[in-house]
Amino acid sequence: MRKSNVIIHPGESSILLHLHLIRRPISSSSIAPLPVDPDPPDLSSQLLSVLSHPSWQKHPSLRNLVPSISPSHVSSLFSNNPNLDPQIALKFFQFIARKPGFKHSVQSYSLLLNILISNKFFGVSEKIRTSMIKSCISIDDIRFTLDFLREMNRDNNEHKFKLTLRTYNELLMMLSRFLMIDEMKRVYAEMLSDMIAPNIYTLNTMVNAYCKMGNVVEASLYVSKILQAGLRPDTFTYTSLILGHCRNKDVNSACNVFKMMPKKGCRRNEVSYTILIHGLGEARRVDEAISLFKKMKEDYCYPTIRTYTVIINALFENDRKLEAVNLFNEMRNNGCEPNVHTYTVMIDYMSKERKFDESRRMLNEMMEKGLVPSVATYNALIDGYCKEGMMESAQEILDLMHSNNCSPNERTYNELICGFCKRKNVHKAMSLLSKMLEHRLMPNLVTYNSLIHGQCTVGHLDIAYRLLELMKENGLNPDQWTYSVFIDYLCKNKRIEEAHVLFNSLKDKGIKANEVIYSTLIDGYCKAGRTDDADSLLERMLIEGCLPNSSTYNALIDGFCKERKVEKALSLLEKMVQEGVKATVSTYTILIVAMLKGGNIDHAHMLFAQMVSSGNQPDVYVYTAFIHSYCGTGNLKEAEDMVSMMIESGVMPDALTYTLLVDAYGRLGLLYQAFDVLKCMFDTGCDPSHHTYSFLIKHLSKEKLIEENKSAVLDLVPNISFIDVADVWKTMEFETALLLFEKMLEHGCSPNVNTYGKLIIGLCKVGRMAVAQRLFDHMNEQGICPSEDIYNSLLKSCCELGMYDDAVRLADATMERGHLPLLESLGSLICRLYDEGNKKKAKQVFCNLLHCGYNDDEVAWKILIDGLLKSGLADECSELLGIMEARGCQIHSQTYKMLIEGLDGT
């Protein structure tokens, strides 16, 4: 059996790193706890040799060495040479710190302090000790520093260097920055044990730390200590208390402290105002925040960048967008330049409003000013793009982050993964899971839930269950959302009984079914025509104390409407309103569609008016339902009027709305007007769908057929019964596509990658590879680069048709273009190549895909387990697994176990 010790488990690298950084126990013989990594050959000795010269700073060798010197090299130099002259050690330490981008590690500081203190250089050591504390950039750094300084502070240490009041205060301040409250209490106790009396700075630091946590009660104890020590609380003390009350969601108490400050003879400053303004904003008391903002001048305080930013953010959060934008402009007019945080707030707003050109302009503006965008700035744009399905733009921002040396965080990857999954580009989302692990970012519940949802959406239930197991293996517990996704998938695939079994098992899994899970199963029953079972489940839901929401009622209303029990659906609408559940746009849309299908257009309009009067803003789906009905009955005037009404209401038609109009004009022989609608789609940035082009081709074919047979009597031309739209791709010829392109150009619509894509994908689905290939060649001739979807459609079709030589060429071309070929297609291709004895080509295809950035577990699942092992190619599977192992692929232990069991035939 193959050994698994070459497998790197997800997350293991970060654990090993953590173990590597754990310090050795401190001994009296050494106060440098961390082991030092070995230097590159001779670098430490070369440095020592240079430093032995009196004029070492001018030594010709030093210039060559400096670019290679890192903090670990400085540590090695001091660790290996503890008897180094203290003055030389100090001067070298200061010299190398001036190297651009160089930052000493806390280990370097500790080793320098060893040398200085052992030589009684106490004065400069105090400054170095303070710098060491200030250099801490992580919890590990501060813990190391604490242990080191405690060791020096011991009375029985031969190199004793007692902590001073200043040192204690610096330590407390750094611990406060990392919210290490327990450690602060311990340091404070040690300070008292050392007979060092706290000053106002010490006690204020303690007050502030507790206030950051919202623990005003504990903070107040230290305020009492200030008074007991005969000191007076100052502006910092009271401002901290304001912060504490705000963090505790007790804004009234924060206001009381703010009002009390002048009575205590304590001046309120810009920070006091800003913190309270922020607290009022978070409590949605924006008018009070604005009023306070305007009163700042009375205290001779002037708004800072932070003040403006928090109030601008509060205005956006409370949907007062115009005021926020005006305040942003006022801020700049007053000479207060926005900082990174301000720009991030504005970019976030612009992205949420889908004003992407403006948000990109702001990003460029801030960078031109020399401001470095934070990860939150980039995330604001990525989130906006992902929510709109603009994944290419989101990927561009990710690339920009990398080029600007800004490391993505968990949120960055989660937003991208969610976005790709929504676009059903799940293999791309899975590849980002690998990127997360490479960057030592641990996937969380959101990551796995998004991937599981994505795999279920594209019908890969087996992969979704494997992700569930990986999730558990990584110590994450599936939640209600996780199981609601599985139940939803089973219901949508008419596996209601399986869904019900999973639902009943939740209690044993420690999961309490919520309204989402109940609503999902109720919707499944309704769509299966089992409204009685859905009703029973609603009763069970109420008995178990889970209150139905609008989605629950909408599922039942939709079920009754589909069974033509419209009266029952309407009575349920009344019931939900009586129960205090607000009817949503979706509720009314379901009922309106039912009325329109039944020909009761007056009742539909009445419901539309009721929806508007109840405060629900009609969306594109409601308007499109009416347009669909009018187009279906040939009432184009009413359909056009409804389009005008929706646009006047600020609702833009979507691809379905436009497509219905295209078909309606086409059916009336108004092909010119149909192409005018297509022009509107292009002008408004709405991508025509697969169905849009289907209808245009259908009506073009119909017109061409009539033109060719205009001399014949229609009844004598049986083919003129016209192609059903579902059969368009089975009959479309290359010349028809050229005719479509010609008509598009006449109307100012240049065929683009989306146009070719929809046509090629449609043809591939019905196995029309010859026509699809001609279109593929034609688009290349026109200088249009095929998309990943086009390559994958052609590749999949080639594999299904047994055109393996063409499939290999397409797979190579796809990867050469930087696209990800679908693993299902590659799995099928590799298996067929092995079957045909083309072992060399199979291995080459597999090796190429390993360079694409795929998630290694997914490769193992789809190529090795679901492909080779299921095809009985165990030896070949073992060989490819060996290739993955040799390349250090990160296969999870659970996946590896599945592979071993498959190879052993167990």
Side-chain angles (χ1 to χ4, degrees):
M1 183 181 290
R2 190 181 300 273
K3 294 180 182 178
S4 61
N5 58 353
V6 295
I7 301 301
I8 304 168
H9 302 162
E12 183 177 291
S13 56
S14 60
I15 294 168
L16 289 173
L17 180 68
H18 176 72
L19 291 172
H20 178 68
L21 291 175
I22 293 176
R23 59 180 180 79
R24 293 199 197 106
I26 297 172
S27 67
S28 58
S29 61
S30 172
I31 49 177
L34 279 181
V36 178
D37 291 334
D39 287 334
D42 297 326
L43 193 134
S44 180
S45 59
Q46 286 180 63
L47 270 177
L48 185 63
S49 175
V50 168
L51 294 175
S52 65
H53 289 267
S55 302
W56 58 266
Q57 292 189 41
K58 297 178 182 179
H59 196 285
S61 299
L62 185 60
R63 183 181 298 174
N64 297 327
L65 290 174
V66 164
S68 304
I69 298 172
S70 70
S72 65
H73 298 138
V74 177
S75 297
S76 294
L77 174 69
F78 293 162
S79 177
N80 297 333
N81 303 283
N83 296 318
L84 189 66
D85 182 280
Q87 290 185 334
I88 291 175
L90 179 61
K91 285 180 180 177
F92 173 71
F93 189 86
Q94 294 167 337
F95 164 81
I96 199 63
R98 293 192 287 273
K99 172 185 163 184
F102 189 94
K103 189 177 187 321
H104 283 296
S105 67
V106 287
Q107 290 78 30
S108 305
Y109 279 104
S110 69
L111 291 160
L112 175 63
L113 281 169
N114 279 342
I115 294 170
L116 295 174
I117 292 163
S118 63
N119 287 278
K120 313 297 183 187
F121 278 65
F122 296 115
V124 72
S125 293
E126 177 67 23
K127 294 178 182 177
I128 295 296
R129 180 165 62 182
T130 300
S131 297
M132 178 181 183
I133 296 167
K134 289 180 177 179
S135 75
C136 294
I137 58 171
S138 67
I139 289 176
D140 284 338
D141 279 354
I142 187 63
R143 289 195 188 283
F144 172 83
T145 301
L146 258 177
D147 289 343
F148 175 77
L149 296 183
R150 278 178 177 143
E151 176 65 21
M152 280 197 157
N153 197 51
R154 282 194 306 109
D155 289 330
N156 61 349
N157 191 316
E158 61 177 300
H159 300 306
K160 181 172 68 175
F161 188 42
K162 296 296 286 184
L163 299 180
T164 62
L165 174 60
R166 181 183 176 184
T167 310
Y168 273 117
N169 284 343
E170 292 288 353
L171 275 172
L172 288 170
M173 188 57 122
M174 186 57 70
L175 290 166
S176 174
R177 185 180 299 175
F178 290 103
L179 298 178
M180 297 169 69
I181 301 295
D182 291 339
E183 203 60 70
M184 284 185 75
K185 286 171 72 175
R186 184 181 166 192
V187 169
Y188 182 82
E190 289 168 358
M191 180 179 180
L192 297 179
S193 178
D194 271 353
M195 305 299 289
I196 295 177
N199 61 8
I200 188 68
Y201 185 92
T202 318
L203 295 166
N204 272 345
T205 302
M206 298 301 291
V207 171
N208 185 255
Y210 280 107
C211 286
K212 283 180 187 174
M213 306 289 288
N215 190 347
V216 184
V217 174
E218 197 74 26
S220 298
L221 295 177
Y222 285 92
V223 175
S224 300
K225 292 180 190 296
I226 292 174
L227 297 169
Q228 289 164 12
L231 303 169
R232 289 182 61 189
D234 58 12
T235 298
F236 189 90
T237 318
Y238 289 115
T239 300
S240 294
L241 289 171
I242 293 169
L243 174 66
H245 287 304
C246 288
R247 291 272 168 93
N248 210 24
K249 311 296 182 189
D250 185 2
V251 184
N252 288 334
S253 294
C255 289
N256 290 337
V257 173
F258 184 81
K259 290 172 186 173
M260 183 178 68
M261 288 175 74
K263 296 173 186 176
K264 296 289 186 180
C266 197
R267 181 181 176 271
R268 298 182 291 218
N269 62 14
E270 285 82 2
V271 180
S272 317
Y273 272 96
T274 301
I275 288 172
L276 186 53
I277 287 168
H278 189 211
L280 289 165
E282 286 196 323
R284 297 195 173 275
R285 292 159 62 172
V286 184
D287 288 328
E288 292 175 66
I290 292 170
S291 176
L292 191 63
F293 175 78
K294 290 176 179 176
K295 289 179 181 176
M296 289 182 74
K297 289 181 183 177
E298 294 175 13
D299 268 341
Y300 302 100
C301 290
Y302 297 92
T304 63
I305 298 171
R306 170 75 177 152
T307 320
Y308 276 110
T309 302
V310 297
I311 204 162
I312 288 168
N313 188 58
L315 287 165
F316 280 135
E317 290 289 330
N318 288 273
D319 208 30
R320 294 165 65 166
K321 299 164 188 172
L322 183 59
E323 291 173 78
V325 173
N326 288 340
L327 189 60
F328 177 75
N329 293 329
E330 178 190 311
M331 169 187 175
R332 297 215 278 195
N333 292 336
N334 289 341
C336 189
E337 281 299 313
N339 63 8
V340 171
H341 189 201
T342 323
Y343 274 112
T344 300
V345 168
M346 294 300 296
I347 288 169
D348 186 49
Y349 155 69
M350 297 295 177
S351 297
K352 284 174 179 171
E353 291 290 301
R354 294 181 291 182
K355 298 177 179 179
F356 294 113
D357 289 342
E358 185 65 16
S359 59
R360 286 300 294 268
R361 185 191 66 75
M362 281 204 165
L363 180 67
N364 293 336
E365 179 184 296
M366 68 182 290
M367 289 194 289
E368 284 167 8
K369 290 181 176 180
L371 294 172
V372 180
S374 67
V375 67
T377 317
Y378 291 112
N379 283 350
L381 266 166
I382 287 173
D383 184 47
Y385 283 132
C386 289
K387 281 183 170 59
E388 289 301 307
M390 301 167 66
M391 299 314 299
E392 292 80 7
S393 298
Q395 184 68 52
E396 282 177 21
I397 299 298
L398 181 66
D399 295 340
L400 184 63
M401 287 181 79
H402 288 305
S403 64
N404 289 338
N405 296 316
C406 180
S407 299
N409 60 12
E410 286 88 350
R411 183 180 171 187
T412 318
Y413 282 109
N414 282 344
E415 285 166 354
L416 286 161
I417 285 169
C418 185
F420 279 118
C421 286
K422 282 181 180 176
R423 283 278 300 270
K424 298 186 179 181
N425 198 342
V426 186
H427 60 293
K428 187 72 174 178
M430 288 292 291
S431 72
L432 287 172
L433 177 63
S434 292
K435 293 289 182 189
M436 285 186 79
L437 296 170
E438 280 175 26
H439 290 91
R440 294 176 182 167
L441 296 170
M442 292 309 295
N444 57 22
L445 207 55
V446 174
T447 319
Y448 281 107
N449 280 346
S450 296
L451 289 168
I452 287 169
H453 183 260
Q455 295 290 358
C456 285
T457 302
V458 296
H460 296 157
L461 185 63
D462 289 346
I463 302 296
Y465 274 123
R466 287 167 186 169
L467 281 166
L468 182 67
E469 291 307 310
L470 257 61
M471 180 181 179
K472 292 175 183 175
E473 286 280 323
N474 286 344
L476 295 168
N477 294 319
D479 62 359
Q480 293 162 321
W481 169 248
T482 317
Y483 287 108
S484 72
V485 170
F486 284 104
I487 290 169
D488 183 54
Y489 171 86
L490 293 169
C491 288
K492 283 177 177 172
N493 286 272
K494 300 179 181 179
R495 294 160 66 172
I496 305 297
E497 294 309 321
E498 287 179 66
H500 195 84
V501 169
L502 180 57
F503 175 81
N504 286 333
S505 73
L506 294 182
K507 190 173 181 181
D508 294 336
K509 299 179 192 296
I511 302 288
K512 181 177 171 60
N514 62 4
E515 65 275 12
V516 176
I517 295 175
Y518 271 109
S519 299
T520 300
L521 192 53
I522 285 170
D523 186 52
Y525 278 128
C526 288
K527 283 185 167 55
R530 294 167 58 176
T531 50
D532 290 339
D533 288 325
D535 255 341
S536 299
L537 196 56
L538 178 63
E539 293 301 319
R540 176 176 166 182
M541 182 179 183
L542 292 166
I543 290 167
E544 294 191 3
C546 184
L547 296 177
N549 59 16
S550 58
S551 297
T552 321
Y553 284 109
N554 288 349
L556 283 160
I557 289 169
D558 188 46
F560 290 134
C561 287
K562 281 184 168 58
E563 292 184 352
R564 298 185 181 179
K565 298 175 182 176
V566 181
E567 291 304 319
K568 195 167 182 179
L570 289 168
S571 67
L572 193 57
L573 171 62
E574 291 178 14
K575 181 183 176 182
M576 74 182 283
V577 174
Q578 289 168 5
E579 295 289 337
V581 180
K582 193 178 186 304
T584 63
V585 174
S586 296
T587 317
Y588 287 106
T589 304
I590 291 163
L591 289 163
I592 287 168
V593 169
M595 296 300 169
L596 292 171
K597 280 184 178 177
N600 196 344
I601 198 157
D602 291 335
H603 200 163
H605 275 290
M606 186 183 75
L607 281 167
F608 184 86
Q610 185 181 332
M611 174 176 63
V612 175
S613 64
S614 66
N616 284 296
Q617 177 65 38
D619 61 13
V620 66
Y621 302 107
V622 182
Y623 286 110
T624 301
F626 280 102
I627 292 164
H628 190 191
S629 176
Y630 289 133
C631 288
T633 55
N635 294 322
L636 266 179
K637 177 67 171 62
E638 288 86 347
E640 289 168 345
D641 289 345
M642 189 58 76
V643 172
S644 298
M645 185 192 298
M646 72 187 289
I647 293 172
E648 286 169 11
S649 300
V651 179
M652 291 305 296
D654 64 5
L656 176 58
T657 320
Y658 284 119
T659 300
L660 290 169
L661 290 169
V662 165
D663 185 41
Y665 284 122
R667 279 189 279 115
L668 293 175
L670 303 171
L671 209 54
Y672 191 91
Q673 287 86 340
F675 275 95
D676 273 347
V677 174
L678 183 70
K679 177 68 164 64
C680 284
M681 295 183 79
F682 271 69
D683 290 346
T684 56
C686 179
D687 280 338
S689 69
H690 171 85
H691 295 291
T692 316
Y693 289 112
S694 297
F695 283 120
L696 285 169
I697 293 165
K698 173 189 171 181
H699 296 307
L700 272 175
S701 300
K702 169 185 169 183
E703 185 182 67
K704 184 182 176 186
L705 195 58
I706 292 172
E707 187 68 26
E708 289 172 355
N709 295 278
K710 60 184 176 183
S711 58
V713 180
L714 281 180
D715 291 338
L716 300 179
V717 187
N719 288 338
I720 217 157
S721 57
F722 312 128
I723 308 160
D724 186 80
V725 72
D727 295 326
V728 161
W729 309 110
K730 295 177 184 177
T731 57
M732 190 192 92
E733 297 300 333
F734 178 66
E735 289 70 27
T736 311
L738 294 181
L739 179 60
L740 171 70
F741 299 158
E742 183 184 322
K743 294 286 185 184
M744 288 176 68
L745 288 167
E746 285 174 12
H747 284 76
C749 309
S750 296
N752 56 24
V753 67
N754 177 63
T755 312
Y756 282 97
K758 293 296 186 284
L759 269 59
I760 290 170
I761 291 167
L763 290 163
C764 286
K765 283 181 178 177
V766 294
R768 301 283 309 286
M769 269 301 295
V771 183
Q773 183 63 54
R774 289 187 70 182
L775 275 172
F776 180 80
D777 294 339
H778 189 268
M779 77 179 294
N780 279 305
E781 288 165 11
Q782 300 300 311
I784 299 172
C785 293
S787 66
E788 186 175 288
D789 287 342
I790 292 173
Y791 276 110
N792 275 317
S793 292
L794 290 165
L795 176 60
K796 183 181 179 185
S797 189
C798 282
C799 290
E800 289 171 350
L801 295 170
M803 301 165 60
Y804 298 119
D805 289 341
D806 290 320
V808 169
R809 282 193 292 272
L810 274 165
D812 290 342
T814 306
M815 290 184 268
E816 283 169 14
R817 288 278 185 177
H819 298 313
L820 290 178
L822 288 176
L823 285 175
E824 293 85 348
S825 299
L826 290 183
S828 171
L829 175 60
I830 289 167
C831 286
R832 297 293 76 79
L833 289 170
Y834 272 123
D835 283 340
E836 292 180 355
N838 198 341
K839 178 180 175 181
K840 183 179 178 182
K841 197 64 188 175
K843 284 174 65 177
Q844 183 184 332
V845 171
F846 184 77
C847 290
N848 287 345
L849 80 87
L850 291 180
H851 292 291
C852 291
Y854 264 115
N855 176 270
D856 295 328
D857 281 304
E858 195 178 24
V859 171
W861 293 335
K862 291 183 177 177
I863 305 292
L864 304 185
I865 297 172
D866 295 340
L868 296 168
L869 287 178
K870 283 188 178 177
S871 298
L873 300 167
D875 291 341
E876 291 79 357
C877 174
S878 182
E879 183 179 29
L880 297 189
L881 175 59
I883 291 172
M884 292 186 75
E885 290 175 348
R887 297 196 179 198
C889 293
Q890 295 188 336
I891 306 174
H892 196 279
S893 57
Q894 188 70 21
T895 305
Y896 197 84
K897 181 183 175 186
M898 293 170 65
L899 278 164
I900 297 304
E901 288 172 354
L903 289 168
D904 290 349
T906 57

